[in-house]
Amino acid sequence: MSGSRRPAERFTSAFSEGLRTCNKEVQQYGLCLKATLPEVEKGVCEREFQQLRACWLRAFRASLRASK
C-alpha cells in the first residue's frame, strides 16, 4: 500500500519521478551550464533553471499526491 510508505521512501520516489519527467529540462540546463564553463556566473542560465524548477516541482507534487 502506498499510504503506508515512510516519508523518506515517498520523497525518494517523488525525486526520481521528477528526474524522469523533466529529462528535457535537465538536459537543457546542463547544456547551458556546460557552455559557460569554466566561468559559470550566477544567473547565466536562469531561464533554463526556472523551467527545470517548475517542471520538477509539478512532477514532485504530483508524485507525492499519488503516493498518499
Side-chain angles (χ1 to χ4, degrees):
M1 243 200 281
S2 62
S4 63
R5 291 170 59 192
R6 294 185 328 205
E9 292 170 341
R10 288 179 59 224
F11 179 82
T12 300
S13 177
F15 185 82
S16 296
E17 184 61 30
L19 290 176
R20 276 191 298 277
T21 302
C22 302
N23 187 38
K24 178 183 144 195
E25 289 82 358
V26 168
Q27 288 179 348
Q28 289 175 338
Y29 183 57
L31 287 172
C32 180
L33 289 175
K34 183 179 176 183
T36 66
L37 289 175
E39 303 294 326
V40 177
E41 295 180 21
K42 183 177 180 177
V44 73
C45 297
E46 184 66 23
R47 181 177 57 94
E48 291 84 353
F49 174 76
Q50 291 303 327
Q51 290 172 343
L52 172 58
R53 182 179 180 272
C55 179
W56 192 83
L57 284 173
R58 280 190 306 273
F60 186 78
R61 289 174 180 151
S63 181
L64 286 179
R65 278 192 298 270
S67 70
K68 283 187 176 182

